[in-house]
Amino acid sequence: MSRKWVEKEGLGWVEKNIISREQYDQIVHLYAEQKHAIGMLPLLGSVLLGLGILSFIAANWQEIPQLLRLLMIVVVMVGFYAGGEQFLRKGHGKLGIALTALGLVSFGAGIILVGQMFHLVAYDLTSFTVWGLAGIVLTYMYRSRFLYLISLLIFTGAQWYSTLELHQFSYAALVIMAVGLGYFTWQRQSTLLTWCYSLSFVLQCLMLVFVKDWPLLWLFIPVMALYAAGDWIRDRSSGYAVQTVPLIAAYVFAVSMVLLWDVRSSSDLDEILAQPAYYLIALVVLFAISVLGKLRQARGSSAFEWILLAPFVYLPGGIEVLYLLALFFFSFYVLWRGYMEQWRFKINFGTVLFLCSTMVAYGKLTWDFMDKSLFFIIGGLLLLALSWVLNRRKKQVLEDTKGGKTS
Amino acid sequence: MSQKTIGRWTQLIILLVLQVLFLGGIAGSYYAVGWFGQEIRIKTAPVDPRDLLYGDYVTLSYEISQLRPELWKDQAPVPARGSKVYVLLKQGSGNPAVYEAAGLYGSKPSAQPGEVILQGRVDSSWDQAIRVTYGIEKYYVPEGTGKELEKEAGNMIAKVKIASWGQKKLEGLENF
């Protein structure tokens, strides 16, 4: 809380006779500003000093012997870590964590520098995995969300590099990240962390499928395994945070099926279709695990979300219509649950999904059986009417809950 | 200070020591290759038509990077992309005396005097050639100095040190 805020609000409390004028002065005095200002001086000083040293080193970097460069990076790394710990002990939480994060970044810089010193060619992600592992250990030591996100970024970036440059996928890195950071996510039950974790996991699975040239459908086995895991989390909002990204992936797949089904060729099919027997068995097993979890947490009705995963793609015909219906039913379901649970995030999410589904339908179905201009007019009116109704309902619900649960 | 904070100092120190050991270990092992390794010279070759200069390093290719399929000495079919192979190098008679590929094996062969063994990975293989990478295909240069080297890079002599435990290191480039 800032002094300004206390000064302003406090006057209101005095007027309403909650506190006396003397108490008001005493409270405001607690938020004395000069203490803060003096604390900032050494900090600003050290930042300036650090910047000066940094620019000096950067300007002369090429002339410094390599071994000395490595020693300097090690010294900087130790300095950042030790400084971070010192500031944390003195209660400067944010600054301490920021310095520790810089220490972790210096470790990565050290790894890259060693690679350059000896002209090394990276064959795999071992050194990056060690880097990320250091990040995970720090995350647990300081129980810090910031360090968590940096570690997640290191693992995701490393896998991306491996996919693009080395054309291979590191299972070890994925497992270490999934277990190491997954357990932390589980403990913390933080929506933000869960979202980012889930996003990174799905992206990495996508990279895996691309690197290995597997049929695209295989993506949904690990992704829906993550979804099913979300059903076993008791806390509703972190459970849903885990599941949103897998659902978005399934939604995007269904949309692409609707839009691109016409232009497919048989070789495209090979790229999409997994071996039906294995794929369907795996999907059914995951479905069972997921539904079991849902029933235990008393949210059985959300099993309807699996409609996006229905393997229409194996059917001989009518695929785009079925996927389109699945998109609509799913969007309706999310919207409906949003209103039932009075959950702002779901209402917004459902609205966006519903508008997207309408657009997809609008761009797709018409050409065969309706005059284009008529379709545009009807489609436009439909969208307008729909968004008006949805917005009205949304406002009502949000007013009723007054903020309610946020995402 | 509480017990917990002291505990975290110890944890931090352990983590720090491990990180320093990791960096120092890699650097130390490559310094050891420089001290104890056997020095050989190999001829570079022009790289496939692509940008050689990649930020702060130059991509290299060697004569021993592209091998004739006859050099494959094992009974098994030519290994797939990504698998480990051993390349037997023999010192040639020219001046300067560069090492040339004499055989390609799936498991480590024994080397006679005047021969060395380099471990590599199959990058690609087709009817006419097997491409092998050794992990010495990058040469880092100070920023801005790569352009000149880029023109020469296809026709130079690379100085490589090979340690008895198989680790290798690109020491430098010389004009042919």
Side-chain angles (χ1 to χ4, degrees):
Chain A
M1 269 186 293
S2 71
R3 178 190 171 97
K4 260 192 192 144
W5 185 86
V6 174
E7 269 175 359
K8 206 174 120 222
E9 292 292 310
L11 285 178
W13 303 339
V14 176
E15 268 169 33
K16 288 179 186 150
N17 286 325
I18 300 171
I19 55 172
S20 69
R21 185 78 209 181
E22 290 74 38
Q23 283 171 325
Y24 167 75
D25 288 335
Q26 283 172 348
I27 291 173
V28 170
H29 191 70
L30 285 178
Y31 291 85
E33 248 162 320
Q34 63 268 36
K35 230 203 279 175
H36 214 63
I38 291 171
M40 289 297 284
L41 277 183
L43 195 69
L44 283 175
S46 50
V47 167
L48 276 184
L49 196 68
L51 277 178
I53 294 172
L54 202 68
S55 69
F56 176 77
I57 293 174
N60 297 287
W61 187 244
Q62 309 286 358
E63 279 87 64
I64 302 171
Q66 284 182 322
L67 190 60
L68 195 61
R69 290 188 211 173
L70 185 60
L71 279 176
M72 281 164 67
I73 283 201
V74 167
V75 169
V76 166
M77 180 179 86
V78 173
F80 276 138
Y81 280 140
E85 176 68 35
Q86 275 297 342
F87 274 109
L88 275 172
R89 279 156 63 114
K90 288 189 179 144
H92 300 282
K94 287 212 170 97
L95 183 66
I97 291 296
L99 287 182
T100 309
L102 282 175
L104 182 60
V105 170
S106 322
F107 181 48
I111 292 174
I112 291 167
L113 179 70
V114 168
Q116 294 192 357
M117 279 170 75
F118 303 107
H119 310 289
L120 303 186
V121 179
Y123 272 134
D124 51 38
L125 282 189
T126 311
S127 48
F128 286 105
T129 309
V130 171
W131 186 17
L133 197 60
I136 292 182
V137 174
L138 286 169
T139 302
Y140 280 95
M141 270 170 63
Y142 293 104
R143 325 272 337 149
S144 154
R145 305 209 303 179
F146 187 57
L147 292 173
Y148 174 101
L149 290 174
I150 289 187
S151 313
L152 196 67
L153 208 61
I154 292 174
F155 276 106
T156 317
Q159 205 70 266
W160 178 248
Y161 167 80
S162 179
T163 306
L164 284 188
E165 297 288 321
L166 310 176
H167 308 292
Q168 53 171 299
F169 188 86
S170 168
Y171 290 108
L174 179 66
V175 169
I176 289 173
M177 186 212 88
V179 174
L181 292 180
Y183 184 64
F184 189 81
T185 322
W186 181 280
Q187 281 183 324
R188 279 297 282 260
Q189 308 258 314
S190 141
T191 320
L192 173 73
L193 296 194
T194 317
W195 251 96
C196 294
Y197 177 84
S198 180
L199 183 64
S200 167
F201 183 84
V202 171
L203 283 178
Q204 292 193 46
C205 291
L206 199 61
M207 294 178 205
L208 172 65
V209 170
F210 275 119
V211 165
K212 301 282 179 190
D213 262 335
W214 287 338
L216 185 62
L217 271 185
W218 283 121
L219 169 70
F220 290 103
I221 297 305
V223 164
M224 290 319 279
L226 182 69
Y227 174 93
D231 281 321
W232 291 82
I233 297 177
R234 189 161 298 131
D235 177 47
R236 190 74 188 90
S237 47
S238 3
Y240 207 65
V242 172
Q243 295 181 325
T244 307
V245 184
L247 286 176
I248 291 175
Y251 186 89
V252 170
F253 177 77
V255 167
S256 62
M257 282 297 101
V258 174
L259 290 181
L260 304 175
W261 188 253
D262 285 349
V263 287
R264 83 198 189 279
S265 63
S266 53
S267 66
D268 290 341
L269 265 185
D270 289 342
E271 282 171 23
I272 295 173
L273 291 184
Q275 276 220 319
Y278 294 122
Y279 178 71
L280 292 180
I281 289 172
L283 206 60
V284 166
V285 169
L286 288 175
F287 179 69
I289 295 173
S290 161
V291 169
L292 214 62
K294 284 177 196 297
L295 290 177
R296 277 181 66 123
Q297 315 291 349
R299 36 178 127 117
S301 78
S302 66
F304 190 76
E305 288 168 355
W306 276 86
I307 191 167
L308 279 183
L309 270 298
F312 299 129
V313 68
Y314 287 105
L315 294 177
I319 288 166
E320 57 241 275
V321 179
L322 286 171
Y323 270 113
L324 195 58
L325 286 177
L327 288 176
F328 265 109
F329 279 126
F330 176 73
S331 314
F332 264 128
Y333 170 78
V334 174
L335 259 181
W336 176 62
R337 290 308 303 175
Y339 290 121
M340 297 299 286
E341 296 167 23
Q342 306 213 328
W343 187 347
R344 184 204 291 257
F345 172 75
K346 266 199 177 180
I347 296 174
N348 290 334
F349 188 48
T351 309
V352 171
L353 288 180
F354 193 80
L355 290 179
C356 286
S357 310
T358 315
M359 301 273 266
V360 169
Y362 171 77
K364 187 65 199 177
L365 278 182
T366 54
W367 320 130
D368 299 339
F369 60 89
M370 203 191 278
D371 179 60
K372 250 184 207 178
S373 55
L374 184 65
F375 173 77
F376 276 115
I377 292 168
I378 294 176
L381 287 177
L382 257 175
L383 270 183
L384 281 176
L386 200 68
S387 69
W388 182 74
V389 171
L390 288 180
N391 263 322
R392 236 175 72 109
R393 284 243 37 188
K394 197 166 91 175
K395 263 191 205 135
Q396 268 176 9
V397 168
L398 295 185
E399 266 164 27
D400 289 352
T401 54
K402 263 280 172 195
K405 253 187 179 174
T406 51
S407 68
Chain B
M1 279 294 141
S2 72
Q3 200 67 34
K4 203 177 170 208
T5 328
I6 295 164
R8 202 168 66 194
W9 261 120
T10 324
Q11 289 170 13
L12 184 65
I13 288 167
I14 294 171
L15 184 67
L16 256 177
V17 168
L18 285 177
Q19 290 183 39
V20 172
L21 277 182
F22 179 74
L23 293 178
I26 300 176
S29 74
Y30 279 97
Y31 275 114
V33 174
W35 296 325
F36 304 115
Q38 183 191 349
E39 188 175 291
I40 64 164
R41 286 172 153 72
I42 41 180
K43 175 82 179 52
T44 63
V47 184
D48 302 340
R50 67 165 183 159
D51 204 8
L52 298 174
L53 186 63
Y54 225 89
D56 51 356
Y57 65 82
V58 175
T59 309
L60 297 174
S61 180
Y62 300 96
E63 285 188 346
I64 59 167
S65 298
Q66 191 152 319
L67 304 170
R68 284 169 287 120
E70 301 91 87
L71 289 174
W72 177 245
K73 304 288 188 197
D74 283 11
Q75 294 297 318
V78 173
R81 175 185 167 163
S83 41
K84 259 189 209 170
V85 285
Y86 296 88
V87 181
L88 183 73
L89 302 181
K90 262 191 190 142
Q91 193 164 23
S93 50
N95 186 32
V98 295
Y99 277 73
E100 287 155 3
L104 181 62
Y105 301 86
S107 54
K108 198 173 179 178
S110 55
Q112 311 299 321
E115 296 177 341
V116 288
I117 290 155
L118 266 187
Q119 196 200 77
R121 265 167 210 247
V122 177
D123 194 39
S124 59
S125 67
W126 67 98
D127 293 346
Q128 279 91 40
I130 303 168
R131 273 202 75 84
V132 177
T133 54
Y134 298 93
I136 48 174
E137 284 83 5
K138 273 183 188 177
Y139 190 73
Y140 284 90
V141 289
E143 244 170 278
T145 62
K147 275 275 171 245
E148 292 160 33
L149 189 63
E150 186 190 344
K151 289 179 209 140
E152 308 277 319
N155 190 27
M156 292 184 98
I157 299 286
K159 243 175 29 173
V160 177
K161 286 256 171 105
I162 304 165
S164 52
W165 57 91
Q167 209 175 344
K168 54 202 171 286
K169 172 185 167 193
L170 178 56
E171 289 255 285
L173 291 172
E174 294 168 349
N175 285 315
F176 184 59

